[in-house]
Amino acid sequence: MPDTTDDSLLGGRVRLVQPAKGHRAGTDAVLLAASAPVKAGDWVVDVGASTGAVGLMAAVRERGARYVFVERDPDLAELCRRNCGLNGVAGEVVAIDVLDRSARLTAGLTPESADWVLTNPPFLEEGQARISPDRGRAAAHALPAGGLEAWLRACTGLLKPKGRFVLIHRADRLAECLDLLGAGMGGLQLRFVHPTAGKPAIRFLLAATKGSRAPLDVLPPVVLNGPDGRFTAQAEALHRGEAILA
């Protein structure tokens, strides 16, 4: 088990034990969780959950839903279980590779069952860039070649008709993600995330509904920092859990 730190999210509403080095939860997780208006009775699957930040932030807003955390790294999955206990969330942690269909079925992740799938997938694929020598960071940041398509198919395959999918990814991979989602996902809502006003987007948030034929909506952007380098009022409210994006 790696060395860990004991951190908090949403102004202290979520306690998160996570590795001291490697991939750590931050703004991407906050924005993703804020984009999912989960309701009581919903089944929510956090894919690529790491230590559970996204699902836990959704859970503290709506404890009446069922939460499943999918994480392939056994050490991170164990920390996720620990974090569920620390936050009083009765979540199920599944330590499998979501790209493995047989493992999904064995774990009870049956097709067309989930109301929500939330995911912050690894941003790179093998061969696209130099991968970190740190095992944890590499696993969090890189998929096998062609892995993004398989990841998105696995995620959307878990959704029931009219289920909602929410993704955060690098802005430069938007066209690819839109193409890979395919015709079965509609009602798309796209929101760009900018480091400061006037700077190009660095992330996008994309929500979609399975089986919808509604057209794409481009929603107001999120601007993270003001001219002074500090969080904007919106970003501060999101990080403190005082606002949502949905």
Side-chain angles (χ1 to χ4, degrees), residues 37-236:
V38 174
K39 303 188 301 297
D42 286 347
W43 182 26
V44 183
V45 184
D46 179 357
V47 175
S50 186
T51 56
V54 173
L56 290 171
M57 285 187 280
V60 298
R61 291 187 173 108
E62 179 48 77
R63 292 187 177 272
R66 173 191 175 192
Y67 295 91
V68 178
F69 301 80
V70 181
E71 173 50 51
R72 64 184 175 182
D73 184 303
D75 289 340
L76 295 179
E78 185 56 37
L79 287 176
C80 186
R81 291 188 186 94
R82 181 178 173 185
N83 287 328
C84 285
L86 289 173
N87 290 279
V89 174
E92 177 185 356
V93 181
V94 179
I96 63 165
D97 185 344
V98 75
L99 303 185
D100 186 334
R101 182 177 183 276
S102 63
R104 295 198 305 268
L105 294 174
T106 300
L109 296 173
T110 54
E112 299 198 333
S113 299
D115 296 285
W116 292 89
V117 173
L118 315 178
T119 189
N120 179 6
F123 284 167
L124 302 174
E125 293 183 16
E126 292 176 1
Q128 289 184 331
R130 181 182 177 186
I131 304 303
S132 171
D134 180 87
R135 181 181 67 87
R137 185 178 292 272
H141 290 174
L143 288 166
L148 180 59
E149 179 176 10
W151 186 285
L152 295 182
R153 286 184 176 179
C155 288
T156 56
L158 294 173
L159 286 170
K160 63 176 60 173
K162 303 304 180 184
R164 293 282 284 171
F165 172 71
V166 190
L167 162 76
I168 189 167
H169 213 303
R170 290 186 356 178
D172 60 357
R173 302 199 71 182
L174 173 60
E176 183 181 6
C177 289
L178 289 172
D179 182 58
L180 292 176
L181 275 181
M185 301 295 295
L188 275 66
Q189 295 180 319
L190 173 64
R191 192 189 303 269
F192 291 103
V193 181
H194 299 259
T196 58
K199 295 289 186 180
I202 55 172
R203 299 283 189 270
F204 69 85
L205 289 152
L206 183 66
T209 301
K210 191 168 190 175
S212 173
R213 295 185 179 181
L216 181 148
D217 285 332
V218 179
L219 303 178
V222 175
V223 178
L224 296 176
N225 300 297
D228 59 358
R230 299 170 66 88
F231 276 150
T232 61
Q234 181 189 31
E236 180 68 25

